[in-house]
Amino acid sequence: MRKLFLLMYISLLLSGSVLAQYDLPFGFKKRFDIAVKDTPEHTFGNPWAGGINACQFGEIDLDGDGIRDLVIFDRDGNRTMTYHNEGFVGESSYTFNAALAGKLPHFDDWVIFADYNMDGLNDIFAYSKGFAGIKVYRNTGNPNAMFELVVFPYLKSFQGNGYVNVLVTYADYPAIYDIDNDGDLDLLTFWGLGSFVEFHLNESMERYGSADSLIFRKTENCWGRFAESDESNIIYLDTCFYINKSLSNSPRALEVPPPSGGAGGGAQAKGDPKHTGSTFMLFDNNDDGLLDLLLGDVDYSSPALLINGGTPEDALMVSHSYKFPDNNDSINMLSFPVMNYLDVSNDGKKDMIVSPFDPSLVKAQNLNNIWLYINNGETNNPDFELVNKAFLQDEMIDFGAGAVPVLFDYNNDGLMDIVVGNFGYLDSSYYGTAMNLYCDYRAQLALLENTGTASQPSFKLIDRNFANLPSHFPQGEKPFAAVPAFVDLDGDGDKDMLVGNDEGTLFYFENTASTGGPSNFEFVDEKYQNIDAGSYSTPQFFDLDGDGLTDLLVGKRNGTISFYQNSGSISNPEFTLITDSLGMVNVRNPNLSIFGYCIPHFYRDQSGKIHLFAGSEFGEIFYYDNIQNNLDGEFNLVMKNYLWIDDGLRSAVAIGNLNNDNFPDMIVGNYSGGLTFYNGITPPPAIVLDNTDRGLGIKIYPNPANETLNIEYPKVNDFRVEKLAIMNVLGIEIFSTFEMLNQIDLNEFEDGVYLLKIELKTSSTMKSAGFKIIIKH
């Protein structure tokens, strides 16, 4: 009877399926060639790459030329950037190539590139989201289908009485390396409760005489015979016993170095509990044939170098230091550094890139935080020299954390400039009483002046502290999450400025410039008209009701928009709250967060129709219409993520015609502090979404299913899987992947009814979605 009931439930669900069609009014295409300068002599090499915050680096040949290219993965937004390696010997010769990223799978939180089958092609080990483990992709070498998912949902190791998941959390960066020097890759990771390092031996060579298998067995619970305190980064040498406070008197326990103070150290969000996490870099630091360990730790600025004094078969860490390299350029990355060892200068010797790894959005330096150390020694006896603290970042426009672009002609020359608000730059950090790290950020406005022409924009970075926002607050107080908006508030013919902020109020700056001259903003009021819209106010001025008076719209952290109608006059506006939930707009994803971080941008096209593009916490750009004559009703959500644009967390949109053609252009900001330029193009053809498998050719079997579910896709090449998700009957997503899985292991799912959603995307941006019911019995 149970199975019969479930099958009836399927028929009820599918009988309600309908077709949905999108007729989108605007088309956009990324453009990377819009020039940006910061000095007359320097043009940014890659200004519109989108900024970088908490990155990992890897090398892999993506274009088949035999030279390994560079991959940057920013865990803030799970963004992947790719650089073609020109291969010039003795120098870093990378050229940004966004197309190469299309060859890579989607990553979450961390990724490691390593050649597990020793065929000369780096494979991929990546965090398996939702499973606290590792998934593996084999590099096929086929440029049309380069990666095959060979381990999913997680890598297993024989532990105790059977093969179980190798536990690696999103906050840990394991070591994947041939530790026993037998020709296959082994694995180091911390024990689930911290303190001790587990060694998982790969038995591929022992069993099969080749490295092409991933057969692991946990052989050591305390590799290197050291332990790390579960409350700090204190290292205990020559011990494999349980660590507790009583061990602090041990003669081998060396104390943690004091906080570096000022901007040194990490940051802890208010109310964010302390958590564990570590990063590994294995290398031979002194050419003795033994693997030493560089160990990064959450909340601490400097990694610990542990020197191996054991044997190749039995590692024993005999000393450690928190100063590495041992010179004036030692690593001090504020909080939780990750170290990547790869050949950046094409000289056959591995160099080192150090960057933040902390998963928190408020716990690290977010500018000048990519440190490149060139190796003047050998791979097995490095001599590191710090040559750049903003490697590749210095060729981007990067405004710390949380870039919000606003178009505004600040110098009245008829060309739209860009004023960029931000969440903030790291201002200072400190340790609390429980040795947690906390951070203060400092929001600033930046000015990009349009130095081009009406038909060809180009920009110059004039000022990273436009209007000197932080100077208008008492010592010790710093604004953050600043978002500007411009309109004439005093009737003198020039545009004044309001700035939203984390407190929900609006800072008022009066424009005191001479008529027709460049804007000059003077601070007037910290709480304009005593408006308090709610946390993280993001204002926009727009005549929403068509009465000729500019109204005030304010997005908020809760995902909604407040509407303040101008009940005054052009020269003396009075803003009256009409609703704190305009159009029933809500960009929050309740399955993932209690916040939405709505950043609204209303736009009126040439015909007078009003459109709304709303940025959101997880980067989707929500698009609404049915706005005019419907201010008391519910706006129509046309598309949750306009054209599937995904530039990272906390999207922010500015739209305007910057090249004097028939199509508006768009600039998108993100939490990594960067901007992406989208050229307006012809709108796409109608996009059809099918709520069932009608016409898609997707097959799943068996259904009901027990241990595995098989998936067959259309026999065509012009598509890719954008996302595959499994939801329960309440619509809550319990599993998702961006891979084209042919089989799903159901052993981790409880018995019940589930919804399988498969989204396909073609090269022409057409997209369909298939929904199927899964039953496990």
Side-chain angles (χ1 to χ4, degrees):
M1 286 298 295
R2 177 174 176 273
K3 186 184 297 185
L4 176 62
F5 168 77
L6 295 178
L7 291 173
M8 290 174 62
Y9 188 75
I10 292 174
S11 65
L12 290 173
L13 281 176
L14 295 183
S15 65
S17 62
V18 294
L19 288 173
Q21 179 169 310
Y22 294 150
D23 290 305
L24 301 179
F26 306 109
F28 298 106
K29 183 179 180 180
K30 279 187 179 181
R31 187 171 174 185
F32 296 103
D33 62 344
I34 303 297
V36 180
K37 292 177 176 286
D38 59 350
T39 68
E41 297 78 23
H42 178 251
T43 300
F44 288 95
N46 183 30
W48 306 101
I52 46 181
N53 274 2
C55 295
Q56 302 132 49
F57 292 76
E59 51 186 352
I60 188 168
D61 182 9
L62 293 172
D63 53 11
D65 64 355
I67 302 173
R68 288 180 175 175
D69 306 299
L70 185 70
V71 178
I72 305 177
F73 173 66
D74 188 349
R75 69 180 304 162
D76 282 6
N78 293 323
R79 300 166 52 243
T80 301
M81 291 165 279
T82 46
Y83 286 76
H84 170 66
N85 188 353
E86 302 291 345
F88 299 143
V89 176
E91 63 179 274
S92 169
S93 54
Y94 295 114
T95 303
F96 181 70
N97 188 330
L100 293 178
K103 296 179 178 290
L104 292 164
H106 172 87
F107 305 126
D108 293 287
D109 295 302
W110 60 260
V111 60
I112 293 173
F113 298 87
D115 182 7
Y116 82 82
N117 56 4
M118 304 302 169
D119 63 355
L121 304 174
N122 266 358
D123 308 294
I124 298 173
F125 295 78
Y127 179 63
S128 188
K129 189 177 179 68
F131 294 99
I134 303 172
K135 58 184 176 181
V136 184
Y137 299 86
R138 183 178 67 88
N139 188 340
T140 67
N142 179 357
N144 297 317
M146 186 168 285
F147 298 100
E148 176 189 3
L149 186 63
V150 293
V151 175
F152 185 84
Y154 44 68
L155 198 65
K156 296 179 181 180
S157 176
F158 192 88
Q159 305 176 57
N161 297 320
Y163 285 93
V164 297
N165 178 27
V166 179
L167 178 66
V168 182
T169 73
Y170 71 99
D172 284 305
Y173 195 73
I176 299 173
Y177 198 91
D178 183 7
I179 295 170
D180 61 356
N181 200 32
D182 68 348
D184 55 25
L185 294 183
D186 309 300
L187 192 148
L188 292 182
T189 186
F190 263 99
W191 174 49
L193 298 180
S195 296
F196 306 109
V197 174
E198 297 178 345
F199 176 39
H200 296 267
L201 173 72
N202 189 350
E203 298 183 318
S204 182
M205 290 298 295
E206 287 86 348
R207 291 192 182 197
Y208 308 115
S210 66
D212 59 1
S213 298
L214 295 166
I215 310 295
F216 290 92
R217 178 185 297 270
K218 185 172 73 171
T219 59
E220 295 184 43
N221 291 312
C222 189
W223 182 86
R225 282 188 271 168
F226 75 95
E228 184 180 52
S229 171
D230 57 2
E231 296 180 348
S232 69
N233 68 342
I234 295 174
I235 299 294
Y236 302 90
L237 298 175
D238 196 16
T239 180
C240 286
F241 297 100
Y242 180 73
I243 298 299
N244 56 34
K245 292 182 180 179
S246 65
L247 286 178
S248 63
N249 295 322
S250 166
R252 300 301 299 274
L254 304 182
E255 292 301 317
V256 61
S260 54
Q268 184 93 1
K270 296 177 181 178
D272 184 22
K274 186 176 177 67
H275 63 280
T276 59
S278 297
T279 61
F280 291 79
M281 188 183 100
L282 283 173
F283 70 122
D284 185 353
N285 183 59
N286 49 14
D287 198 22
D288 62 357
L290 301 176
L291 289 175
D292 306 302
L293 174 62
L294 200 55
L295 181 66
D297 189 75
V298 66
D299 280 355
Y300 294 93
S301 60
S302 301
L305 173 65
L306 289 90
I307 297 298
N308 190 349
T311 66
E313 296 77 23
D314 187 13
L316 173 64
M317 299 305 169
V318 296
S319 66
H320 78 287
S321 169
Y322 293 101
K323 187 175 182 180
F324 181 81
D326 189 14
N327 53 40
N328 293 330
D329 295 329
S330 58
I331 298 169
N332 184 0
M333 190 51 70
L334 306 177
S335 175
F336 207 0
V338 61
M339 293 67 61
N340 292 120
Y341 205 31
L342 63 164
D343 184 5
V344 174
S345 53
N346 296 301
D347 59 0
K349 299 178 294 186
K350 290 190 176 182
D351 310 294
M352 181 172 63
I353 305 177
V354 185
S355 51
F357 184 72
D358 204 296
S360 170
L361 298 180
V362 289
K363 286 185 58 123
Q365 174 66 278
N366 48 45
L367 189 66
N368 297 323
N369 58 344
I370 311 296
W371 292 15
L372 172 61
Y373 289 84
I374 291 296
N375 186 356
N376 296 319
E378 302 296 332
T379 295
N380 288 335
N381 189 16
D383 177 17
F384 290 121
E385 177 189 359
L386 179 61
V387 296
N388 194 338
K389 286 191 174 183
F391 176 57
L392 297 180
Q393 185 182 45
D394 54 9
E395 292 301 322
M396 307 177 188
I397 45 177
D398 190 328
F399 302 107
V404 181
V406 177
L407 296 176
F408 168 60
D409 183 6
Y410 100 100
N411 55 1
N412 292 293
D413 64 353
L415 302 177
M416 297 305 293
D417 310 296
I418 307 172
V419 177
V420 186
N422 73 348
F423 177 85
Y425 301 99
L426 184 68
D427 184 80
S428 60
S429 60
Y430 59 94
Y431 282 78
T433 55
M435 289 303 292
N436 290 332
L437 292 179
Y438 295 86
C439 177
D440 289 327
Y441 285 88
R442 180 187 68 259
Q444 297 178 184
L445 305 179
L447 173 63
L448 290 164
E449 180 185 347
N450 190 341
T451 57
T453 66
S455 59
Q456 180 59 52
S458 61
F459 297 91
K460 181 179 181 181
L461 177 56
I462 299 295
D463 193 352
R464 283 186 177 270
N465 192 19
F466 182 60
N468 199 7
L469 182 64
S471 70
H472 301 292
F473 295 86
Q475 186 174 5
E477 294 184 19
K478 298 291 189 299
F480 69 96
V483 178
F486 302 92
V487 77
D488 186 1
L489 294 171
D490 54 9
D492 64 355
D494 55 28
K495 290 187 176 182
D496 308 296
M497 179 172 70
L498 291 188
V499 180
N501 61 88
D502 67 299
E503 297 292 337
T505 57
L506 300 172
F507 307 144
Y508 173 36
F509 288 78
E510 181 184 356
N511 189 349
T512 60
S514 58
T515 303
S519 299
N520 181 56
F521 293 108
E522 293 188 2
F523 184 70
V524 176
D525 191 359
E526 187 176 345
K527 295 182 179 180
Y528 177 74
Q529 293 193 11
N530 289 316
I531 292 172
D532 186 350
S535 298
Y536 290 79
S537 53
T538 58
Q540 185 193 5
F541 290 108
F542 191 88
D543 182 7
L544 194 62
D545 54 11
D547 64 355
L549 300 177
T550 302
D551 306 303
L552 173 64
L553 298 313
V554 184
K556 298 162 292 183
R557 183 168 65 171
N558 69 4
T560 64
I561 302 172
S562 292
F563 171 33
Y564 293 82
Q565 187 179 48
N566 189 346
S567 56
S569 63
I570 293 177
S571 60
N572 187 25
E574 290 289 336
F575 295 107
T576 303
L577 177 64
I578 302 300
T579 176
D580 59 6
S581 187
L582 177 65
M584 304 300 290
V585 169
N586 194 331
V587 301
R588 182 174 68 91
N589 185 333
N591 296 327
L592 299 176
S593 177
I594 61 174
F595 301 126
Y597 290 94
C598 180
I599 303 179
H601 183 83
F602 288 87
Y603 176 76
R604 182 177 280 107
D605 66 22
Q606 293 178 344
S607 70
K609 181 179 178 179
I610 298 175
H611 310 264
L612 169 61
F613 294 84
S616 65
E617 165 75 335
F618 295 103
E620 298 99 340
I621 299 172
F622 287 66
Y623 169 63
Y624 295 85
D625 65 8
N626 190 27
I627 297 170
Q628 284 149 304
N629 303 315
N630 188 32
L631 300 186
D632 296 327
E634 182 175 353
F635 298 165
N636 177 42
L637 176 58
V638 178
M639 197 168 191
K640 181 180 178 182
N641 193 11
Y642 198 83
L643 285 177
W644 303 280
I645 291 170
D646 183 7
D647 288 320
L649 295 174
R650 298 192 191 174
S651 50
V653 171
I655 295 178
N657 196 333
L658 296 173
N659 56 7
N660 201 29
D661 62 6
N662 295 322
F663 308 111
D665 307 299
M666 179 170 68
I667 299 171
V668 179
N670 63 49
Y671 192 78
S672 292
L675 305 176
T676 307
F677 192 102
Y678 286 85
N679 199 50
I681 59 174
T682 302
I687 300 172
V688 177
L689 283 175
D690 190 344
N691 286 349
T692 71
D693 182 38
R694 201 173 346 197
L696 296 183
I698 298 175
K699 298 179 181 179
I700 66 167
Y701 61 90
N703 192 9
N706 188 2
E707 295 184 352
T708 59
L709 181 77
N710 300 298
I711 307 173
E712 289 186 1
Y713 298 94
K715 303 297 184 182
V716 295
N717 295 323
D718 189 27
F719 81 94
R720 75 180 190 211
V721 170
E722 186 77 359
K723 184 177 181 181
L724 184 153
I726 294 177
M727 293 164 281
N728 62 20
V729 293
L730 299 177
I732 297 174
E733 190 174 288
I734 57 176
F735 165 76
S736 66
T737 181
F738 297 84
E739 316 308 329
M740 192 172 74
L741 298 184
N742 295 104
Q743 190 176 80
I744 300 176
D745 184 353
L746 300 180
N747 287 303
E748 301 298 323
F749 296 92
E750 299 292 333
D751 294 357
V753 180
Y754 298 89
L755 184 67
L756 170 66
K757 179 181 178 182
I758 303 176
E759 297 179 350
L760 305 181
K761 185 175 182 181
T762 72
S763 60
S764 59
T765 73
M766 300 289 288
K767 187 172 181 179
S768 299
F771 295 79
K772 294 287 187 179
I773 296 299
I774 306 172
I775 302 175
K776 183 170 183 286
H777 59 84

